[in-house]
Amino acid sequence: MGSTIDDPSPVDIIRYPWEVMEISSDPEETHITIVGTAGQKITRMGSNLKDYVSPNLTHLVFRSHLIKEMEGLAGMNHLELLELYDNMIDELKDLDGGEGGLPGVGLRVLDISYNVIRDMTPISLCPNLTELYIAQNKIKSMSGLRHLKHLRKIDLGANRIRVMVEEELSGLENLEELWLGKNKIEKIGGLNKLTKLRRLDLQSNRLTKIENLTGQVDTLEELYLAHNGIDNEGAKCETGLALPFSKL
């Protein structure tokens, strides 16, 4: 029989990770990966999640589920990678719920792409990140990045960003990859101090000029600019492609 009007939708059903897959609290089990592309989907992480996982958990992946809220991360003192790709999360939460700002201060990789986040400011609670993936959300402005000096890769593609904020970008002295395709950016900026940048993606924005790339003249290897409004004049700026790039 088909569903009736009174049947709950999948997102209204409460289903915890340990109900979808057997999870071990064995201290040697440091990785958990549950992908919801086939079978049952998690709808709640659970505020007591740490009670079900290894005290030495380093990698936690809940990909392609129906999770709306980040919770249960406090007490995961060894967490280095957190992936919540493709869920329904609208707020970055519970990153500093533990002692000493854990688990946020311990994270090295955070993937929160394909959610509905509007404010990325709480990223500042993860000062040791080396990789940040927050593509395909609803972010309108860069924030929370300025003190994340260990970042090597940022993916902010497919958001609603209009400005490359210099105050947020200038301190990222180790950044090698910056992916900003499919936003609403009108001008290249904020890159002057990013002297290790090798890959820059600005495809599908609102650019009319290629400019302000002086800081990358010795490092830039890949530059993606398709699907913008750049004409011949806009491509000839002295601080753009006219520079003597050594690796591009």
Side-chain angles (χ1 to χ4, degrees), residues 63-135:
R63 184 190 310 145
S64 299
H65 291 281
L66 298 170
I67 298 167
K68 288 185 173 182
E69 182 178 1
M70 293 174 64
E71 60 180 347
L73 299 174
M76 296 187 185
N77 295 340
H78 301 283
L79 199 63
E80 297 177 3
L81 180 148
L82 175 61
E83 181 188 319
L84 297 170
Y85 178 100
D86 188 20
N87 278 281
M88 303 172 67
I89 296 166
D90 63 1
E91 185 179 358
L92 291 163
K93 296 174 63 177
D94 213 28
L95 290 170
D96 65 340
E99 184 178 350
L102 292 166
V105 297
L107 284 177
R108 299 298 185 269
V109 179
L110 176 60
D111 189 344
I112 196 79
S113 295
Y114 285 83
N115 280 278
V116 288
I117 293 167
R118 297 178 184 274
D119 180 14
M120 61 181 288
T121 305
I123 292 297
S124 63
L125 299 171
C126 308
N128 294 305
L129 282 178
T130 60
E131 298 180 22
L132 171 62
Y133 304 89
I134 194 166

Side-chain angles (χ1 to χ4, degrees), residues 23-38:
I23 296 176
S24 174
S25 59
D26 186 328
E28 295 186 2
E29 297 291 333
T30 59
H31 291 51
I32 293 176
T33 298
I34 307 178
V35 180
T37 51

Side-chain angles (χ1 to χ4, degrees), residues 193-207:
K193 296 183 179 180
L194 306 189
T195 56
K196 294 183 180 180
L197 196 66
R198 297 186 297 114
R199 294 185 177 93
L200 176 61
D201 176 22
L202 287 162
Q203 294 184 85
S204 301
N205 275 281
R206 299 177 178 179
L207 301 175

